[in-house]
Amino acid sequence: MNKNFLKAVVEQDADALRRFFTPDAVICWHDSNEQFTVEEYIRANCEYPGDWGGEVQRTEEIPDGIVMVSKIFSAESTHFIVSFAKLTDGKIARLDEYYSDYGEAPEWRKQMKIGRQIGA
């Protein structure tokens, strides 16, 4: 799981995506309370509307896999994804993903005059 995985996701390349998973992999999108098989995940990803770009911002190895932080974007929206992948023989056996929207701090926190922007 790396930049090639994210490239397959944003390009909606079903054949490339399929090669990253074990046949019985489980994929969970916790923010929407959904669990998918590999084929369901590929269908959801490849039929997702819009044209998307993306970049891997960080990867960390963990004892049984990898954690990847990515930013995906379209003309309409930007999202961050934290992905926890459990690997078996170099393939994803379980993928737990958490999505967040990119946006400004809420007004109540701006009024506190604390913190600063991370980036432009």
Side-chain angles (χ1 to χ4, degrees):
M1 193 166 148
N2 53 25
K3 292 179 183 179
N4 292 330
F5 176 76
L6 186 62
K7 182 177 188 275
V9 167
V10 298
E11 291 181 357
Q12 299 177 309
D13 185 338
D15 292 331
L17 279 172
R18 203 170 277 112
R19 291 191 289 267
F20 284 96
F21 291 95
T22 63
D24 59 345
V26 173
I27 300 95
C28 296
W29 288 352
H30 293 272
D31 59 303
S32 55
N33 195 28
E34 294 176 276
Q35 179 177 303
F36 302 102
T37 65
V38 173
E39 291 304 316
E40 290 171 334
Y41 169 81
I42 290 170
R43 183 172 177 204
N45 184 77
C46 292
E47 293 182 20
Y48 203 95
D51 293 318
W52 294 88
E55 59 189 46
V56 175
Q57 296 194 316
R58 180 177 178 175
T59 58
E60 296 287 336
E61 290 186 24
I62 55 177
D64 60 350
I66 192 167
V67 177
M68 185 168 80
V69 179
S70 305
K71 178 181 179 181
I72 60 168
F73 46 87
S74 69
E76 292 81 32
S77 63
T78 299
H79 308 272
F80 293 94
I81 306 165
V82 178
S83 304
F84 293 84
K86 180 178 181 183
L87 303 178
T88 301
D89 297 324
K91 294 193 176 216
I92 301 168
R94 181 175 174 104
L95 182 63
D96 290 277
E97 293 190 314
Y98 301 85
Y99 289 74
S100 69
D101 295 332
Y102 177 77
E104 292 191 21
E107 192 58 39
W108 66 268
R109 204 160 55 240
K110 287 181 187 178
Q111 290 175 8
M112 294 174 73
K113 298 188 187 310
I114 61 172
R116 62 200 72 42
Q117 288 188 335
I118 295 171

